[in-house]
Structure formats: C-alpha cells, structure tokens
Amino acid sequence: MFEVNRLAKVSHDPENSRSPYLFSGIDVHIQQAERISLIGASGQGKSTLLRTLALLTTPDEGKMMFEGASSSELGPRQWRKHICYVAQQAVMLPGSVEENLSTASRLHGYSFDRKLAEELVHTSGLTGLDLSKNARELSGGEMQRVALIRSMLLRPAVLLLDEVTSSLDTMNTRAVEQLLQEWHAREGTTMIWVTHELEQAVRMSERVWFMSGNTILEDAPTKEFFREPSTEAARTFIGFKKEEVQS
Ligand SMILES: Nc1ncnc2c1ncn2[C@@H]1O[C@H](COP(=O)(O)OP(=O)(O)OP(=O)(O)O)[C@@H](O)[C@H]1O
Ligand SMILES: [Mg+2]
C-alpha cells in the first residue's frame, strides 16, 4: 500500500554532524493498516521524516509509492489526501473552530461532514467546545485536538501523528488514544506516531521504528523491541527513558 525506498534528506548543518544526511536509507513497507510508533532522541529527524513522508518537504533521494503511484506522479496535493501530517505545534487558520474544521475538507474537495466533526470533538474530550469560538484563542491542548480532527475528517489512508498528545493531561491523552484506536479499527487507517512516551508506544502500536544514527536503525514488533532491542543504541535509549520515568 505504502512503500518508501532509500529515502534521504540532506542535512542543512553537516558541520554539526558526522553524516552529510539528516537521515538516509529509509525503507518503509506497509502492506495493510498498521499502528507504528516512531521513537528516538530529540533532533534525530523524526518530525522531518514525517514531513517528508507527507511531502511537506521534498526528499533529496529515494522514492515513495502509494497504491502503485509514485509521489511525483500524484503530486503533493493528491499525495497529501492519502498521507496526512498532524504537526507537533498545531497551527490554526484565522476564523472559528468550525471554519478550521471545514476549510481543510473543502480545500481537498470534500464536503464538510459536520456530524462526524461533532462526534470527534466529543470523543476527543472537547465536549462542550463552542465551534463558533475563534480557533486562535483555544488552549494548546484544544488546538492540538482540533488540528487532529481536521486531518481525520480528510480520512487519509495514513495519519502521521507528531506528538499529538504532548500538550494534554493524562485524561485527555487517554481520550485521544481511545479515539484513534477506534478510528484505526473502524477506518483501517495506518498510523505512524512520534512519541517520547515509551508507554504510549507500547499501548498504541504493534510495530516500532527506532531512529538513530541518521536512519531507522530498528524496525521491529513493539513487544520484541522492548523485550530485547537488537542494538546497543536502542538499549541505551530505552535505559535512559526508564530512568527518566523512575526519577
Ligand atoms: N534538511 C533538514 N531539514 C530539517 N531539519 C534539519 C535538516 N538538516 C538538519 N536539520 C536539523 O536536524 C534536526 C531535526 O529536527 P526534527 O524536528 O526533525 O527532530 P525530532 O526528532 O522531531 O526532534 P524532537 O524529538 O525534539 O521533536 C533539527 O535540529 C534541524 O535543525
Ligand atoms: Mg519532532
């Protein structure tokens, strides 16, 4: 369904790195709906990788295919209908929440499904949110969920989720996790989550991509990865994270 071969992005600050690439040699093969978590240290290029997969930034090398068509054949507009990025920092368009939710749909040539939008607003923990409210006056956590719902309404085959619960408290994080679990089951959406919370990776994915050394160093089933990572880099990373959780 979604296939990426030898994807690379040249680093724009190579003097600060041992490699001329921010990442290279990225191979991705997704045959059916999956839930993948993308983990790794800060600055590894996780956000840039997701942005590249969504064609929000151009790859410097490699090839991407979605259902038999290459990204260059489809072009960014068509491509982003299928593979949709939800940013780490939500950006609201001017206007109300409802306008934010409906504009994205209309821009992509879909009619606005108000009923579904209201259902998603409710299940993401935003019950009672006034849709006529100015979107730029929302809290960070509210914006994050509106941005997520805005993308879900496009019903992409692949949702690229960049720390989408980072501004939320535990209760709302769980609401969003549940919402996305149900969405995955109901719509068959593939989800690639960037998260710094290893417990979230365990809860939300059956496959892990561990980014280190300018590439996806490990691609493994989640349980296997956390039970026995194959690389020293991953063992160190998991070890550090465990200490963080305990301290
Ligand atoms: N071509 C490039 N495109 C984007 N960032 C680049 C590039 N080359 C080098 N960089 C640098 O690499 C880092 C990539 O950041 P990115 O946001 O992708 O990392 P991240 O893994 O998502 O980090 P975090 O966990 O903190 O969100 C930044 O420091 C950026 O300046
Ligand atoms: Mg990031």
Side-chain angles (χ1 to χ4, degrees):
M1 184 210 26
F2 183 31
E3 201 173 316
V4 168
N5 290 302
R6 313 308 295 162
L7 194 76
K9 189 86 187 157
V10 170
S11 174
H12 53 50
D13 47 4
E15 58 283 359
N16 292 330
S17 163
R18 276 172 290 159
S19 166
Y21 292 103
L22 175 62
F23 54 76
S24 64
I26 303 281
D27 291 319
V28 165
H29 298 271
I30 296 171
Q31 306 297 351
Q32 60 203 31
E34 278 197 84
R35 296 172 311 143
I36 299 164
S37 47
L38 173 57
I39 60 173
S42 246
Q44 278 296 318
K46 301 180 299 296
S47 295
T48 312
L49 173 59
L50 290 195
R51 290 175 49 79
T52 312
L53 295 178
L55 222 55
L56 290 163
T57 175
T58 332
D60 293 310
E61 291 171 22
K63 196 167 178 201
M64 304 200 285
M65 304 279 291
F66 176 76
E67 287 187 344
S70 71
S71 56
S72 43
E73 278 170 72
L74 287 178
R77 226 180 120 81
Q78 283 301 320
W79 185 262
R80 287 185 215 136
K81 272 190 179 183
H82 305 297
I83 293 154
C84 194
Y85 173 73
V86 184
Q88 199 167 352
Q89 298 288 335
V91 179
M92 293 290 106
L93 304 166
S96 67
V97 173
E98 176 158 347
E99 281 163 333
N100 265 269
L101 295 176
S102 61
T103 304
S105 301
R106 293 209 183 97
L107 280 178
H108 281 87
Y110 302 121
S111 61
F112 174 52
D113 189 340
R114 193 170 211 285
K115 197 163 160 278
L116 178 61
E118 281 170 355
E119 180 198 320
L120 296 174
V121 164
H122 176 68
T123 43
S124 67
L126 290 173
T127 312
L129 178 74
D130 175 5
L131 296 190
S132 65
K133 199 171 167 177
N134 182 343
R136 289 188 168 163
E137 285 170 9
L138 299 177
S139 76
E142 288 168 340
M143 282 191 203
Q144 223 172 12
R145 280 171 286 174
V146 170
L148 171 64
I149 294 166
R150 192 168 60 186
S151 296
M152 290 168 78
L153 289 172
L154 305 176
R155 293 198 151 99
V158 182
L159 260 179
L160 305 172
L161 306 167
D162 201 346
E163 300 189 42
V164 284
T165 59
S166 61
S167 307
L168 304 182
D169 57 47
T170 311
M171 203 175 84
N172 283 302
T173 294
R174 291 309 176 102
V176 168
E177 287 180 358
Q178 171 130 26
L179 166 72
L180 286 166
Q181 298 278 31
E182 285 167 12
W183 191 254
H184 167 79
R186 179 167 120 187
E187 300 279 323
T189 309
T190 286
M191 294 175 183
I192 307 177
W193 284 69
V194 170
T195 181
H196 284 286
E197 270 185 73
L198 299 186
E199 279 149 23
Q200 184 169 57
V202 171
R203 284 196 299 275
M204 294 304 295
S205 69
E206 54 264 325
R207 180 173 172 188
V208 166
W209 294 346
F210 171 62
M211 228 177 153
S212 177
N214 312 94
T215 195
I216 295 180
L217 191 63
E218 292 198 38
D219 176 356
T222 304
K223 281 196 188 126
E224 216 169 274
F225 177 83
F226 285 106
R227 196 180 336 111
E228 205 176 352
S230 355
T231 60
E232 192 53 42
R235 275 190 289 277
T236 309
F237 180 74
I238 295 177
F240 272 128
K241 283 280 170 192
K242 278 199 185 129
E243 279 167 31
E244 248 173 55
V245 171
Q246 280 156 5
S247 63

